[in-house]
């Protein structure tokens, strides 16, 4: 039983990454059938809103009012993390490939570190090995994403040399959208800090984010897509993928939150490259996607850079825990000294009173 409990988080994260990989592949399939990525994002988050709102209502926890400040932060989170990021991500998936959409988001921890350093939320010491690791990992991640976008190299199963990708500008634009989306997702991660302080009920705040994000995405789609026919779901596959996407948002939120509570955020982030591997293999088998040397090198660079950044963050976490332990030990020693001093003082006073009594 202990062995099963120990492996539960591992099995859970493998399942979550498999769900993300399946969502990438199914989304690409319905996009090839003609479904608009913008419409897909609206339907997906509308379903996720219904699920999250229902779960929040059924939850035993009840959150107090968010207030104007909390609502403002959640509005920004829905704008960056859902409206902008999701539209950029799935449009990039449509223009590029599932493999690129699975690999490029691995640069998110590196971009988050870069933005945190710019906003002075992350301390950077160029003499520290941890900071050097995070900086070099960030550079490696971004270089890998650029390599995937601009240089594919020779086809691995064919001797034909392709210095520039065969899809031309569509592939480059797709990779740029995926990279830009990661920047906004990093902003979403940073915004979660004040939201967590204001609202401790994550179900409640997430339900609001999904609701506001659905409205924002719908407004954007109505503005961009002039033809009302794009809203039609023309096959059971399109309806099923929209339903699957909404359920995937809710399920992955619960499972990742549970894993983070058990093993921490670094444990969850370490499984991100697994989605890249699953998508790359599945795309080659089911979608007949060609694999090129430049894309493979870029994906490997992104994954290696991710783990270098995570190593630096892990060392930061260890240093923080060590400092907290030292501070706790110092506090305990001060308390013990205070108790001993107080005891000695009481004993001294007692002896003085006894001596005075004997003399009298």
């Amino acid at each position: 039983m202990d062995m099963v409990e120990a492996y539960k988080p591992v099995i859970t994260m493998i399942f979550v990454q498999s769900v993300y990989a399946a969502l990438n592949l199914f989304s690409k399939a319905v996009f090839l059938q003609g479904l608009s990525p913008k419409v897909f994002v609206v339907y997906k988050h509308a379903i996720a809103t219904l699920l999250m709102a229902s779960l929040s209502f059924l939850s035993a926890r009840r959150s107090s009012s968010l207030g104007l400040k909390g609502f403002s932060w959640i509005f920004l989170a829905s704008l960056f993390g859902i409206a902008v990021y999701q539209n950029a991500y799935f449009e990039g998936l449509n223009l590029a490939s599932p493999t690129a959409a699975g690999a490029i988001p691995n640069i998110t921890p590196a971009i988050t570190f870069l933005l945190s350093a710019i906003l002075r939320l992350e301390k950077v010491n160029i003499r520290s090995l941890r900071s050097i690791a995070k900086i070099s990992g960030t550079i490696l991640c971004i270089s890998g994403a650029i390599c995937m976008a601009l240089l594919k190299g020779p086809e691995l199963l064919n001797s034909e040399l392709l210095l520039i990708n065969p899809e031309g500008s569509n592939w480059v634009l797709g990779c740029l959208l995926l990279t830009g989306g990661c920047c906004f997702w990093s902003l979403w991660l940073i915004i979660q800090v004040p939201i967590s302080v204001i609202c401790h009920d994550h179900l409640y705040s997430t339900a609001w984010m999904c609701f506001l994000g659905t409205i924002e995405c719908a407004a954007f789609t109505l503005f961009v897509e002039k033809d009302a026919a794009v809203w039609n779901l023309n096959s059971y596959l399109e309806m099923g993928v929209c339903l699957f996407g909404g359920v995937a948002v809710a399920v992955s939120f619960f499972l990742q939150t549970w894993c983070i509570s058990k093993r921490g955020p670094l444990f969850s982030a370490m499984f991100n490259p697994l989605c890249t591997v699953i998508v790359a293999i599945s795309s080659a088998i089911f979608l007949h996607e060609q694999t090129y040397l430049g894309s493979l090198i870029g994906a490997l660079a992104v994954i290696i850079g991710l783990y270098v950044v995570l190593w630096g963050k892990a060392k930061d976490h260890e240093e923080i825990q060590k400092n907290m332990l030292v501070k706790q030990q110092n506090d305990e020693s001060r308390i013990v000294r205070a108790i001993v001093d107080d005891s000695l003082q009481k004993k001294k006073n007692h002896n003085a009173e006894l001596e005075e009594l004997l003399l009298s």
Side-chain angles (χ1 to χ4, degrees):
M1 184 62 68
D2 293 338
M3 182 76 70
V4 175
E5 290 295 327
Y7 280 100
K8 269 186 179 179
V10 176
I11 297 172
T12 300
M13 286 309 305
I14 292 174
F15 174 75
V16 168
Q17 295 303 323
S18 300
V19 169
Y20 285 149
L23 182 59
N24 274 356
L25 294 171
F26 290 144
S27 301
K28 183 67 174 182
V30 294
F31 295 160
L32 291 174
Q33 286 191 353
L35 179 64
S36 169
K38 305 175 189 66
V39 173
F40 171 71
V41 171
V42 175
Y43 286 148
K44 180 168 72 81
H45 281 90
I47 295 170
T49 299
L50 293 175
L51 288 173
M52 297 306 298
S54 301
L55 292 171
S56 178
F57 178 78
L58 296 174
S59 175
R61 297 182 64 181
R62 290 291 178 266
S63 176
S64 58
S65 176
L66 290 172
L68 180 60
K69 185 177 180 180
F71 188 82
S72 300
W73 281 117
I74 287 181
F75 174 80
L76 288 176
S78 66
L79 180 64
F80 292 146
I82 295 179
V84 179
Y85 168 71
Q86 291 287 322
N87 277 286
Y89 178 85
F90 284 102
E91 190 64 41
L93 168 63
N94 183 37
L95 296 175
S97 71
T99 302
I104 291 179
N106 288 316
I107 70 175
T108 300
I111 294 179
T112 304
F113 162 71
L114 184 62
L115 292 176
S116 299
I118 293 174
L119 296 173
R120 298 185 181 277
L121 299 175
E122 186 87 23
K123 294 182 179 179
V124 178
N125 181 8
I126 58 175
R127 297 181 179 179
S128 169
L129 183 60
R130 302 190 305 272
S131 294
I132 294 174
K134 289 184 288 186
I135 293 171
S136 60
T138 300
I139 295 173
L140 191 58
C141 279
I142 296 174
S143 300
I146 294 173
C147 181
M148 289 190 68
L150 299 181
L151 180 64
K152 278 194 161 183
E155 187 178 343
L156 294 182
L157 301 179
N158 196 324
S159 60
E160 181 183 357
L161 181 65
L162 297 173
L163 294 179
I164 299 296
N165 52 74
E167 291 86 354
S169 60
N170 283 347
W171 176 277
V172 176
L173 179 59
C175 291
L176 289 176
L177 285 171
L178 290 169
T179 305
C182 291
C183 296
F184 286 100
W185 184 250
S186 297
L187 284 174
W188 181 86
L189 292 173
I190 294 172
I191 291 174
Q192 295 310 299
V193 176
I195 290 178
S196 298
V197 173
I198 296 171
C199 180
H200 300 289
D201 189 346
H202 299 295
L203 276 176
Y204 185 73
S205 61
T206 304
W208 268 108
M209 273 188 279
C210 287
F211 174 69
L212 293 174
T214 302
I215 294 176
E216 292 160 358
C217 291
F220 173 71
T221 304
L222 287 171
F223 178 77
V224 174
E225 300 284 2
K226 304 300 181 181
D227 186 5
V230 298
W231 294 92
N232 297 333
L233 298 177
N234 300 314
S235 68
Y236 288 112
L237 178 62
E238 293 181 358
M239 289 186 286
V241 172
C242 289
L243 179 62
F244 174 72
V247 174
V249 171
V251 171
S252 62
F253 169 77
F254 272 117
L255 294 180
Q256 283 194 290
T257 302
W258 178 80
C259 281
I260 290 172
S261 68
K262 293 292 184 181
R263 297 289 185 88
L266 288 176
F267 175 83
S268 176
M270 286 176 64
F271 283 85
N272 287 352
L274 180 61
C275 178
T276 307
V277 176
I278 296 174
V279 169
I281 296 174
S282 302
S283 296
I285 295 174
F286 298 108
L287 298 180
H288 305 290
E289 180 185 329
Q290 299 296 334
T291 304
Y292 301 95
L293 182 60
S295 299
L296 180 61
I297 294 175
L300 289 175
V302 168
I303 293 172
I304 294 171
L306 166 69
Y307 282 118
V308 171
V309 174
L310 291 178
W311 180 86
K313 293 295 293 181
K315 292 300 180 182
D316 279 347
H317 183 70
E318 290 177 4
E319 186 70 19
I320 292 173
Q321 293 295 325
K322 182 179 178 181
N323 292 336
M324 290 178 62
L325 181 61
V326 171
K327 182 180 179 182
Q328 182 180 2
Q329 291 175 344
N330 291 336
D331 291 341
E332 289 176 353
S333 62
R334 282 197 295 268
I335 293 172
V336 170
R337 284 199 300 270
I339 293 173
V340 171
D341 292 342
D342 184 62
S343 178
L344 291 174
Q345 184 65 34
K346 287 181 179 179
K347 186 176 180 180
K348 183 177 180 181
N349 293 338
H350 176 72
N351 291 337
E353 291 175 359
L354 182 60
E355 183 179 356
E356 183 180 355
L357 179 64
L358 291 173
L359 290 174
S360 63

